[in-house]
Amino acid sequence: MPANPRNERLSTGESAAYTSHLRVTADADGERLDRYLVAQLPELSRTRIQELIAEERVLVAGQPARASHRVVEGESVQIEVLSRPPLTAEAEDIPIELLYEDDDIVVVNKPAGMIVHSGAGQSRGTLVNALLHRLGTLSSTAGPIRPGIVHRLDRGTSGTLVVARNDAAHRSLSQQFGAREVEKIYLTLVHGRMAEDTGMIQLPVARDLLRRTRMTTKRREGREAHTDWRVLARIGTLTLLEIQLHTGRTHQIRVHLAAVGHPVVGDAVYGAPREPIVQGKKLSKLGRPFLHAARIGFVHPTLGKRVTFRAPLDEGLRTYLEEIAEAVGAPRASIDAALQEYL
């Protein structure tokens, strides 16, 4: 067997896809084993790597090691990657709110905390599972674990999401998203007081090479990303914004606002404090980014006319705004006035 090939494909055994033999270099000395492997094998998620470590499929110097093991320069690391059976989304009886439904599309008011479709580490409790139970079938264009899914919202984001019920509708919607013809309006609350009333952010977005679950605007290889913002209200040291997305990069709103020094409230991943302090008063922990997909507009795949759908501001976010208003002594009526078209 070669001493240090990057990937050695196996020709025997149905369970093993390949084995990688690695040797730790000086620049990785002291890194956690799971993070080291994510950097070396970007095709694997950190969750999948941690599963393989727990199954003792990862050996350091010939012995099983924990995910928290700190690798040392010169150490040999071997990881056996097993093939998984193909995933297929299954129907589950999960309550879900539909804002609109016909034979071609549905528009969902996705709750915060729900994942859109199955992925690494989670195959149940998703929006797709709920929709299959409610509707029976969805478009097959995106494959068996993402039926009907044309676009996504982050787990912590609530609000409007359009889903295709057949392949023709899926193709039409995908073309509109690709041509940037879909209107996507969000509400968010950010740290700091925006000096201007309107503005735009045009910074490329790419995967952060050091922290693979994050995105960054600091890599030249990033993809073009365009975000417009408008101030709805300034509440103490926070600013309530309406956001229009012209592109749809992963974490775009969150990473763009953090890059200009205004991280989204509740978004600890991009630098926001877990318990914000406003005018000397500590607020309760929100537990999610303050981000809501308030409106979506597109040309209906069959009717051929432009349609727009709205999701009222998530009740938890509205309650949080009321808590902030009380903390800074702002009248609730002023908050309601700023949110008039979103309640």
Side-chain angles (χ1 to χ4, degrees):
M1 180 179 294
N4 190 31
R6 173 60 185 271
N7 290 309
E8 180 194 348
R9 300 289 164 175
L10 299 183
S11 58
T12 60
E14 295 180 352
S15 63
Y18 63 90
T19 298
S20 286
H21 299 268
L22 308 167
R23 193 164 297 280
V24 179
T25 54
D27 59 342
D29 187 80
E31 213 174 342
R32 277 178 59 109
L33 176 60
D34 53 353
R35 292 177 181 169
Y36 167 74
L37 289 172
V38 168
Q40 298 299 312
L41 303 170
E43 70 272 17
L44 299 178
S45 69
R46 188 175 178 184
T47 299
R48 181 61 178 139
I49 285 171
Q50 289 173 335
E51 289 173 353
L52 294 170
I53 291 172
E55 295 167 5
E56 298 190 351
R57 302 287 179 178
V58 177
L59 304 179
V60 176
Q63 298 296 321
R66 295 187 177 186
S68 59
H69 169 76
R70 299 286 176 174
V71 298
V72 177
E73 180 184 0
E75 274 185 333
S76 64
V77 179
Q78 176 181 308
I79 177 170
E80 181 186 20
V81 182
L82 304 184
S83 297
R84 280 175 160 170
L87 292 176
T88 301
E90 298 180 359
E92 287 186 79
D93 187 2
I94 304 170
I96 193 72
E97 179 186 359
L98 301 186
L99 300 170
Y100 175 82
E101 175 185 0
D102 65 23
D103 291 339
D104 299 296
I105 63 170
V106 291
V107 181
V108 182
N109 186 7
K110 187 189 90 67
M114 177 176 276
I115 293 174
V116 172
H117 61 73
S118 298
Q122 180 157 350
S123 60
R124 301 185 65 82
T126 73
L127 179 67
V128 164
N129 298 131
L131 288 173
L132 287 173
H133 181 271
R134 178 78 172 264
L135 304 172
T137 60
L138 298 168
S139 162
S140 63
T141 301
I145 66 170
R146 297 189 295 273
I149 299 304
V150 184
H151 68 125
R152 291 175 290 183
L153 298 177
D154 293 343
R155 181 175 190 161
T157 302
S158 54
T160 56
L161 185 135
V162 60
V163 178
R165 299 192 67 176
N166 56 63
D167 291 353
H170 198 124
R171 286 192 296 270
S172 173
L173 291 169
S174 293
Q175 289 169 1
Q176 293 182 62
F177 274 100
R180 302 180 185 176
E181 296 169 348
V182 178
E183 179 191 49
K184 296 170 286 185
I185 303 296
Y186 292 73
L187 293 178
T188 189
L189 184 70
V190 300
H191 288 274
R193 292 176 66 90
M194 290 289 205
E196 305 294 331
D197 290 335
T198 60
M200 72 169 63
I201 306 170
Q202 291 181 298
L203 294 170
V205 172
R207 181 72 58 184
D208 189 317
L209 295 179
L210 296 178
R211 291 165 288 185
R212 302 288 298 182
T213 59
R214 290 177 40 136
M215 307 302 288
T216 181
T217 60
K218 297 178 181 180
R219 290 180 57 200
R220 292 181 180 178
E221 303 88 341
R223 301 176 68 189
E224 174 198 2
H226 177 183
T227 304
D228 287 343
W229 55 267
R230 178 172 72 91
V231 172
L232 296 178
R234 295 178 177 88
I235 314 169
T237 56
L238 307 175
T239 306
L240 182 66
L241 298 176
E242 177 192 85
I243 299 289
Q244 181 172 9
L245 280 186
H246 296 279
T247 50
R249 310 306 179 205
T250 301
H251 297 178
Q252 180 175 323
I253 294 174
R254 298 162 60 190
V255 70
H256 265 182
L257 290 168
V260 297
H262 294 279
V264 173
V265 170
D267 191 6
V269 171
Y270 288 101
R274 295 185 183 277
E275 296 179 331
I277 297 176
V278 179
Q279 295 186 194
K281 298 180 180 179
K282 183 181 289 187
L283 303 176
S284 60
K285 183 179 178 180
L286 183 57
R288 55 167 286 200
F290 193 115
L291 192 56
H292 177 75
R295 188 168 79 232
I296 191 167
F298 51 88
V299 175
H300 190 284
T302 302
L303 301 178
K305 65 179 183 180
R306 193 158 190 87
V307 291
T308 300
F309 302 96
R310 302 169 185 267
L313 181 63
D314 178 90
E315 188 62 32
L317 298 183
R318 185 175 181 183
T319 300
Y320 200 73
L321 282 177
E322 292 174 354
E323 179 185 343
I324 295 169
E326 183 176 347
V328 303
R332 292 188 180 181
S334 65
I335 304 298
D336 290 343
L339 291 170
Q340 185 173 4
E341 63 178 299
Y342 301 106
L343 298 177

